[in-house]
Amino acid sequence: MKLDLVHDIQAAYRKTLASMSRPGLIKNLRDQADKVAMEIDCFNSTLVLALMLFDTEVTFKICSEHEAEMAKLINQLTYAKATELESADYILILHDSKPGDLEKAFQMARSGDLLDPHKGATLIIETDVVCNDRNLTLKGPGIEKENYMDVTLTDQWVDWREEKNSEYPLGIDLIFTDRENNILCLPRTTQIIKQVVG
Amino acid sequence: MNIEYNFAFFDEGSKREIRRATLKAIAIPGYQVPFASREMPIARGWGTGGLQLTLSLVGKEDSLKVIDQGSDESVNAVNIKKLIVLTTGIGVTDETAEATIIQSRHRIPETPLQEDQILVLQVPIPEPLRYYEPSEYETKKLHAEHEYSGAWLMLFEQIVNYGAMSTGADHPVMVHSRYVMAPSPIPRFDNPKLNQNNALILLGAGREKKVYAVPPYTKVASLDFEDYPFRVETFQDKCCRLCGAKDVFLDELLNDITGEASYQCNDTSYCLQRMNGKSKG
């Protein structure tokens, strides 16, 4: 069945909204992502997010081995314009990105200015597994006491994010997607505490 | 002539734009994110901000409740409901607990919200600093610099003039210890409900083209002074004349002939529910 650009995208949006307003809440986009009938170099859920949010007013950057093909495809599907890291509204870091790409994206991404903090970029990061294992503890708006999360990335991203978001309300927001089409959102307000081993 | 509208009235491009703004609004609680605010078939200032948010959210599975000043059946609520139902075919409900999306003008329902519900508030003037600063660029700068002495000064002047803070509704709040926000003209009685609420609260101002949000479990404090703490309206020794409810927001009804005042629940569906419960029991 084909992805319904009205109803499937609406359903995916409500899940994304729930996940963004309750950081650490994992939502699954399988029902929508399975309908993507295309051979693509990114997870289906990532493409669903792009179809949900991108249009001609949006700029994006893709970090991937297949950057050129993916940028062309997303441009053709959504009319969004590919640009550089420092000016992109959305940065897609795909599972086949180079090792240094994630750090560079965290460093270079636009974090808005005090007049317009909403112009901070959103990073969509593909990772093998997104789960609620108790590796990282989350606190902040949207979380009653604390939530837990883990992703298959080295924990260094937590430090990069903390540095980037150190001057709230400036900062970047993250959406993780995984191979099972799970998504987990981290708005800039969420504080992450690493589990201390010992 | 039968005009076929899109599902939820809007074209998908308009929904996308509102959705992008809403996600950013949640990421920066209390900050007013500008959005394009489309022309709607109701006049700006009559709930178009809330309506646009609702249309960007709504899906086939949703159950909608719309209230206007606590009433499910007043003109504004009825017309907004009609538009949404005609363009989506979804069901409407009066019962707060049954709704997945609750669009409201000037009240937060008495029945506590649940985690899976979204409250959409219609906002006429989203800028809490507009009272003393007419320039949008200047108020944006004041928010950027966390410069809110004017907001406190406004309340201080009220205390000097009247001996108490005299905000009837729309008493400014501090969200997540960063942004001063207009809670839409909800009565002071409803301000504490914003703090650490279970549900996501979205606020939309159509005429002023702003969307902002209070995520669940977010600290929202009404502005006040140590020696003049924030107080909600009191209805001490009064109760609803129909259902007998206490500790709810009551409307005062004056009898023109006798001059006598009586009180009634402002939230009509809450009142009805209590009365139905009584008659069953």
Side-chain angles (χ1 to χ4, degrees):
Chain A
M1 210 164 76
K2 214 174 150 236
L3 184 76
D4 186 322
L5 290 175
V6 178
H7 299 292
D8 284 327
I9 293 294
Q10 182 272 339
Y13 169 63
R14 285 289 283 280
K15 290 176 187 174
T16 312
L17 191 77
S19 186
M20 187 63 92
S21 53
R22 297 169 199 279
L25 177 71
I26 295 175
K27 286 279 179 182
N28 193 286
L29 302 186
R30 189 182 303 120
D31 292 347
Q32 292 76 39
D34 283 352
K35 294 183 187 167
V36 174
M38 247 187 292
E39 282 295 311
I40 44 171
D41 293 312
C42 68
F43 298 159
N44 286 356
S45 48
T46 307
L47 189 73
V48 171
L49 288 173
L51 292 171
M52 178 203 309
L53 298 167
F54 290 14
D55 59 25
T56 164
E57 295 168 17
V58 165
T59 55
F60 70 94
K61 165 77 180 173
I62 298 211
C63 301
S64 158
E65 260 185 31
H66 305 94
E67 180 182 340
E69 296 101 297
M70 277 306 294
K72 189 177 171 202
L73 177 76
I74 289 193
N75 171 258
Q76 284 175 338
L77 291 174
T78 67
Y79 302 105
K81 291 176 283 290
T83 179
E84 291 311 310
L85 275 179
E86 53 268 39
S87 54
D89 298 320
Y90 293 87
I91 299 170
L92 283 72
I93 299 145
L94 306 187
H95 60 282
D96 61 358
S97 61
K98 288 192 285 293
D101 281 350
L102 186 63
E103 183 179 5
K104 211 171 144 197
F106 270 101
Q107 283 168 356
M108 308 278 278
R110 208 173 58 190
S111 51
D113 56 44
L114 282 169
L115 283 177
D116 293 310
H118 65 282
K119 289 186 178 164
T122 304
L123 269 59
I124 299 174
I125 304 169
E126 289 190 346
T127 161
D128 285 336
V129 180
V130 170
C131 64
N132 286 123
D133 287 353
R134 293 187 167 216
N135 180 36
L136 301 169
T137 306
L138 310 177
K139 286 185 175 182
I143 302 166
E144 190 174 10
K145 291 187 180 99
E146 49 187 37
N147 274 347
Y148 308 95
M149 69 164 284
D150 200 8
V151 287
T152 32
L153 295 169
T154 57
D155 282 353
Q156 270 179 308
W157 69 269
V158 178
D159 303 322
W160 301 331
R161 175 182 177 273
E162 194 176 317
E163 196 179 326
K164 191 74 183 178
N165 290 354
S166 58
E167 288 184 53
Y168 180 79
L170 307 187
I172 55 172
D173 310 305
L174 312 182
I175 304 176
F176 289 100
T177 60
D178 80 0
R179 291 187 184 278
E180 302 295 320
N181 296 310
N182 291 314
I183 61 161
L184 183 149
C185 303
L186 288 180
R188 64 194 74 176
T189 48
T190 307
Q191 297 152 33
I192 306 181
I193 304 146
K194 284 191 214 171
Q195 211 63 266
V196 182
V197 183
Chain B
M1 191 169 69
N2 185 18
I3 302 170
E4 283 281 315
Y5 285 107
N6 284 336
F7 180 82
F9 186 75
F10 274 140
D11 59 290
E12 292 308 300
S14 300
K15 288 183 201 165
R16 262 195 298 272
E17 201 254 347
I18 300 167
R19 286 168 181 170
R20 287 198 298 266
T22 309
L23 289 174
K24 282 295 169 197
I26 292 168
I28 318 169
Y31 168 73
Q32 303 162 49
V33 181
F35 81 114
S37 191
R38 300 305 200 253
E39 285 287 338
M40 299 302 294
I42 59 171
R44 284 195 168 146
W46 288 90
T48 52
L51 179 61
Q52 291 180 73
L53 278 173
T54 302
L55 292 173
S56 78
L57 293 167
V58 73
K60 284 188 283 194
E61 312 294 321
D62 277 309
S63 173
L64 177 77
K65 173 182 166 80
V66 183
I67 42 175
D68 170 10
Q69 301 265 24
S71 168
D72 292 273
E73 287 161 14
S74 71
V75 174
N76 193 239
V78 168
N79 283 315
I80 287 173
K81 255 186 282 202
K82 272 187 187 164
L83 176 72
I84 298 170
V85 169
L86 275 173
T87 56
T88 61
I90 62 162
V92 290
T93 178
D94 289 352
E95 291 216 12
T96 306
E98 281 177 11
T100 52
I101 300 174
I102 302 165
Q103 182 175 331
S104 167
R105 172 174 179 259
H106 304 188
R107 273 314 303 279
I108 297 176
E110 302 290 357
T111 311
L113 300 174
Q114 300 151 20
E115 286 215 341
D116 54 353
Q117 294 181 313
I118 300 175
L119 175 68
V120 176
L121 286 168
Q122 303 168 198
V123 187
I125 300 168
E127 182 48 74
L129 314 179
R130 185 65 71 235
Y131 174 75
Y132 62 89
E133 177 49 68
S135 158
E136 170 67 15
Y137 184 67
E138 290 300 322
T139 51
K140 257 182 110 63
K141 263 198 326 206
L142 293 173
H143 283 292
E145 291 164 0
H146 201 252
E147 171 46 62
Y148 292 128
S149 33
W152 265 282
L153 198 60
M154 181 180 78
L155 297 173
F156 177 73
E157 282 180 358
Q158 292 173 359
I159 293 169
V160 170
N161 286 330
Y162 309 110
M165 289 185 279
S166 61
T167 47
D170 215 0
H171 186 99
V173 293
M174 177 72 86
V175 183
H176 188 45
S177 309
R178 177 58 181 83
Y179 282 102
V180 166
M181 181 189 96
S184 89
I186 53 172
R188 289 201 306 273
F189 187 85
D190 285 346
N191 272 21
K193 295 181 194 167
L194 290 168
N195 186 36
Q196 306 290 339
N197 199 308
N198 293 333
L200 169 65
I201 301 173
L202 299 174
L203 300 99
R207 184 182 50 201
E208 307 291 326
K209 306 184 177 181
K210 295 287 172 69
V211 169
Y212 52 111
V214 178
Y217 309 116
T218 300
K219 187 179 158 199
V220 179
S222 302
L223 298 192
D224 64 355
F225 300 93
E226 269 177 27
D227 48 348
Y228 282 86
F230 172 79
R231 287 206 178 93
V232 300
E233 295 87 346
T234 60
F235 300 98
Q236 217 178 351
D237 308 326
K238 297 181 181 79
C239 64
C240 173
R241 65 172 181 173
L242 299 174
C243 74
K246 288 177 179 171
D247 300 322
V248 294
F249 193 77
L250 297 171
D251 285 335
E252 187 181 57
L253 306 168
L254 278 177
N255 185 324
D256 282 346
I257 300 160
T258 62
E260 226 172 288
S262 56
Y263 296 87
Q264 192 174 318
C265 286
N266 173 267
D267 185 336
T268 53
S269 92
Y270 177 78
C271 192
L272 205 63
Q273 212 181 324
R274 276 176 59 89
M275 286 195 290
N276 285 336
K278 266 185 193 169
S279 62
K280 268 182 217 160

